[in-house]
Amino acid sequence: MEPATERSATVEPRDPMPDGYRRTLVRQIAQHAHSEIIGMQPEGEWIARAPSLRRKAILMAKVQDEAGHGLYLYAAAETLGTPREELLDALHTGRQKYSSIFNYPTLTWADVGAIGWLVDGAAIVNQVPLCRCSYGPYARAMVRICKEESFHQRQGFEILHTLSHGTPAQRAMAQDAVDRFWWPSLMMFGPPDADSPNTAQSMAWGIKRFTNDELRQRFVDIAVPQAAALGLTLPDPELRWNEERGHWDFGTPDFAELAEVVAGRGPCNAERLAHRVRAHEDGAWVREAAAAYAAKRAARTSTQEPAA
Amino acid sequence: MTADFLLGLADDALVTAQRLGWWVSRAPELEEDVALANIGLDQLGQARGLYAVVTDLEGLGRTEDDLAYLRDAPDFRNVLLVERPQTDFAVCVVRMLLLAAWQSEVYAVLAAREGPARGVAAKAVKEVAYHLDHAAQWVLRLGDGTELSHERTQAALDAEWPYLPELLEPAPAAPVDPASLRDAVLGRVRPVLHEATLVVPELPADPPTGGRAGRHTEHLAALLAEMQQVARAHPGATW
């Protein structure tokens, strides 16, 4: 396959492609799809408790969007010859991962705001370059997803803005949520470049356009002035503007913690996966019924057709 | 009377939205997470539209959030059908079939004549037509699917059916007398149940009732406790 820089058109499902490229894409798209559907849980828990009807409607629509993103992404993975059923099985048995961020608990209403602002904000920084990814179906899915994510990010910012300008208790709730979600959001960009063995190959294939550390820096540079606009502080004593670099300097995330969470030992890994598996198993009889009904209908239709 | 009637409709929709919200991340397949969230959002939108009409009619300066968050269970006017737990997919779709059949008829009448809820009803008619179709498709698949799905759906129907008469109780002074909708509602529901190979139970002679007068099952207070907890923990706060 030609290096990405020498290729202008995207790779499409029927085009020849190296096995490694296909495998890498399936893994990445699946992990992204799994993140969308596991990500429904931490926020979904707050649909019931949203403190106003307007917020309830926005949150419900947001979590619905995440299910929709999961659908587009599983469909994009299917164009590479891997059915959704197989990918869900890989998720349910722990063979494929989802974003580590969703293994952190949502403890208060303000966490819904922090997830929108920081987690969706980080996701956008990660995902905007994917709109120009070399694989066409993935790139096109990402265009649509990024549009919706930017709405999600704004609603999170708006929740936090309202809280930080509200009662002392609301303000404290907002600051606490930002304190807890800041570092895990920085970890969403993955390990530092020196410890990211797949980055070079993914960049050569045009799947990835920037390194983990480049994207992490971009996110910090965007978030710092937004935090100031919110009137909230970011829990990093090393944050300072570096005139020479033209970027914000920041502290080092606890990558040992990231490794633990990725290895399945984060605060909510077990419950997130159990929730997903339970939903799937509890729904098995429904999917079986739908398949049986479709088969009966097909049989009825074929017996009704006149003989040729 | 108009405000009371519309409040009942609005509470039906809000409580339904609250129950449907539970399904998001728990549906049998991803398409259904999307669909149930969508239906929940429609119901929530109908509740909000109707609360706006109600607060306008009563002229007390209350807001939609005052109605949703600051009333206790005895002040809610929803029917018992919608407030009971709904964590079985068969119950979810059977209940949706009954409710949407009824809402279709009520909204059609309200949309066809002058009145404060005409605008809300005109939009809702289109939405509940989709809810009704969605529910009917699932009742067919489950009722005429596997042996297990048939049994579960029949059990759900047997459990939900006794709550249908409350929706059809006479209220001659209301903008729409629910008793007048009886044949139309049954006319929508029965053919679906027959085609789904389900046995339609008899309507009970002495059905459970009381929701429109604020006499609820024990489940409503629990539902409201969850829904209202954040709002009530911060009196006077803006969200």
Side-chain angles (χ1 to χ4, degrees):
Chain A
M1 198 166 130
E2 298 165 59
T5 44
E6 292 169 26
R7 204 180 45 237
S8 54
T10 53
V11 180
E12 294 301 326
R14 287 162 201 275
D15 293 344
M17 61 184 94
D19 284 349
Y21 177 81
R22 184 186 297 271
R23 269 198 310 277
T24 300
L25 274 171
V26 169
R27 194 188 64 223
Q28 181 172 334
I29 297 172
Q31 180 167 326
H32 190 167
H34 300 333
S35 301
E36 295 284 356
I37 64 168
I38 296 283
M40 293 166 70
Q41 293 178 35
E43 290 176 286
E45 288 310 303
W46 286 90
I47 292 173
R49 289 170 285 175
S52 74
L53 295 185
R54 175 172 164 265
R55 292 291 179 201
K56 189 191 285 289
I58 294 171
L59 183 58
M60 211 162 173
K62 180 184 184 224
V63 180
Q64 183 193 29
D65 283 348
E66 283 156 11
H69 296 174
L71 277 174
Y72 320 147
L73 288 164
Y74 285 121
E78 286 188 337
T79 65
L80 292 159
T82 319
R84 195 203 305 182
E85 197 57 27
E86 203 174 295
L87 298 174
L88 284 175
D89 189 59
L91 169 66
H92 297 160
T93 53
R95 284 176 290 128
Q96 285 177 346
K97 307 278 185 209
Y98 54 87
S99 176
S100 57
I101 191 74
F102 301 118
N103 292 312
Y104 291 86
T106 44
L107 303 178
T108 71
W109 168 251
D111 289 15
V112 173
I115 288 180
W117 177 46
L118 293 173
V119 175
D120 294 326
I124 291 168
V125 169
N126 257 331
Q127 291 169 6
V128 165
L130 293 173
C131 299
R132 293 185 292 126
C133 153
S134 56
Y135 187 59
Y138 189 28
R140 290 188 289 272
M142 291 317 303
V143 170
R144 187 160 166 192
I145 289 173
C146 283
K147 280 184 192 154
E148 293 179 349
E149 291 293 353
S150 78
F151 165 73
H152 296 171
Q153 202 257 353
R154 281 203 301 277
Q155 69 87 36
F157 183 89
E158 200 214 333
I159 287 174
L160 289 179
H161 192 269
T162 306
L163 293 175
S164 73
H165 294 78
T167 66
Q170 285 179 304
R171 191 183 157 72
M173 191 194 284
Q175 184 61 58
D176 172 62
V178 169
D179 289 348
R180 283 181 290 108
F181 275 94
W182 173 249
W183 289 110
S185 300
L186 292 193
M187 293 176 201
M188 286 173 68
F189 298 94
D193 292 348
D195 301 327
S196 179
N198 300 323
T199 293
Q201 179 63 75
S202 280
M203 288 179 76
W205 275 331
I207 296 173
K208 225 171 151 163
R209 303 253 170 207
F210 302 96
T211 71
N212 295 353
D213 287 333
E214 285 167 349
L215 293 168
R216 193 169 4 249
Q217 178 71 61
R218 185 176 297 176
F219 173 67
V220 171
D221 290 345
I222 293 169
V224 171
Q226 291 182 346
L230 287 170
L232 297 172
T233 57
L234 296 172
D236 180 356
E238 295 176 48
L239 262 185
R240 59 183 54 86
W241 177 249
N242 184 325
E243 193 65 54
E244 206 173 302
R245 292 200 307 123
H247 291 290
W248 287 87
D249 288 339
F250 58 100
T252 307
D254 183 352
F255 289 114
E257 177 180 314
L258 174 62
E260 280 294 290
V261 179
V262 170
R265 293 184 291 269
C268 301
N269 295 59
E271 32 187 304
R272 297 287 186 248
L273 200 54
H275 178 120
R276 178 87 266 290
V277 170
R278 194 166 54 241
H280 189 74
E281 288 175 353
D282 286 353
W285 71 274
V286 175
R287 296 189 299 276
E288 284 158 15
Y293 177 75
K296 284 186 200 177
R297 274 186 67 117
R300 276 176 218 147
T301 314
S302 65
T303 55
Q304 281 162 9
E305 274 169 19
Chain B
M1 189 61 211
T2 296
D4 284 349
F5 178 79
L6 297 179
L7 186 61
L9 270 186
D11 289 346
D12 289 347
L14 176 60
V15 171
T16 296
Q18 185 75 2
R19 287 285 182 220
L20 287 173
W22 181 86
W23 281 98
V24 182
S25 84
R26 294 185 176 89
E29 57 190 21
L30 206 41
E31 286 81 353
E32 201 54 25
D33 282 294
V34 175
L36 293 177
N38 192 51
I39 293 168
L41 272 168
D42 286 345
Q43 293 281 334
L44 182 54
Q46 289 160 20
R48 297 180 69 192
L50 291 166
Y51 286 145
V53 175
V54 169
T55 53
D56 220 34
L57 286 172
E58 63 177 20
L60 300 172
R62 292 204 286 184
T63 66
E64 60 171 18
D65 287 334
D66 291 338
L67 291 180
Y69 291 94
L70 300 181
R71 283 183 302 154
D72 292 329
D75 303 320
F76 272 74
R77 292 290 177 264
N78 58 279
V79 289
L80 306 183
L81 176 76
V82 297
E83 71 194 36
R84 292 148 46 254
Q86 189 221 53
T87 56
D88 176 317
F89 190 70
V91 170
C92 178
V93 296
V94 166
R95 186 180 298 180
M96 189 186 295
L97 179 74
L98 303 184
L99 181 70
W102 182 79
Q103 287 177 325
S104 297
E105 296 300 329
V106 174
Y107 286 131
V109 175
L110 291 175
R113 61 164 83 132
E114 284 305 321
R118 187 175 192 173
V120 179
K123 180 161 184 280
V125 162
K126 295 175 202 149
E127 293 168 348
V128 297
Y130 162 68
H131 307 173
L132 182 62
D133 182 60
H134 190 75
Q137 294 302 320
W138 271 116
V139 168
L140 291 177
R141 287 184 202 114
L142 299 183
D144 194 18
T146 63
E147 205 174 311
L148 173 65
S149 71
H150 178 84
E151 276 171 29
R152 292 183 70 148
T153 310
Q154 184 66 55
L157 179 61
D158 293 346
E160 298 305 298
W161 192 254
Y163 291 88
L164 181 60
E166 186 185 9
L167 282 167
L168 304 169
E169 276 172 8
V176 184
D177 182 356
S180 69
L181 307 175
R182 184 189 166 101
D183 291 346
V185 171
L186 290 173
R188 285 183 183 270
V189 169
R190 279 201 170 117
V192 176
L193 299 175
H194 284 304
E195 195 186 336
T197 71
L198 296 165
V199 177
V200 182
E202 292 294 312
L203 283 171
D206 188 17
T209 183
R212 297 284 189 232
R215 294 189 307 279
H216 292 279
T217 65
E218 64 192 6
H219 305 293
L220 182 64
L223 177 146
L224 295 179
E226 183 180 40
M227 187 178 90
Q228 297 172 338
Q229 71 177 94
V230 178
R232 290 199 181 196
H234 301 266
T238 302
W239 301 97

